[in-house]
Amino acid sequence: MPFTPDLVDELNTLVHFDLASTQQGIKIHKTAAPAIIAATQRLHSKGLLTQVDGGYLTSLGRDAAEHVQAALTILTSLPASSKD
């Protein structure tokens, strides 16, 4: 199953969470892009966020955010030198 635009918006939302602290959440304001507002609402509906407008990561949300951020790090890092 390929990534849909909605899933990409959800992944991009999860990337914004600071995993170094469980006391720091995010707030999506009503002036944010409609796609981001919708993504945040979907993440809340899926049980990943505590509030419909962001809030904090749930336990499941933290797991998802860790995986998303790890995948982003891997995919954006420089390729390893090939050894001949």
Side-chain angles (χ1 to χ4, degrees):
M1 173 176 160
F3 290 108
T4 64
D6 283 352
L7 286 174
V8 171
D9 289 337
E10 292 173 22
L11 295 169
N12 283 328
T13 301
L14 289 171
V15 167
H16 286 90
F17 281 89
D18 180 2
L19 297 177
S21 171
T22 59
Q23 300 300 314
Q24 189 172 10
I26 64 170
K27 167 82 170 157
I28 304 299
H29 296 278
K30 61 184 176 184
T31 57
I36 298 303
I37 293 171
T40 305
Q41 292 170 345
R42 287 191 305 275
L43 289 169
H44 176 261
S45 296
K46 294 175 181 181
L48 278 69
L49 302 179
T50 60
Q51 301 292 319
V52 72
D53 63 350
Y56 299 96
L57 293 167
T58 64
S59 178
L60 179 62
R62 183 166 181 83
D63 289 344
E66 287 172 351
H67 289 291
V68 167
Q69 292 184 23
L72 182 61
T73 298
I74 292 166
L75 294 172
T76 59
S77 63
L78 295 174
S81 304
S82 57
K83 298 180 179 179
D84 295 340

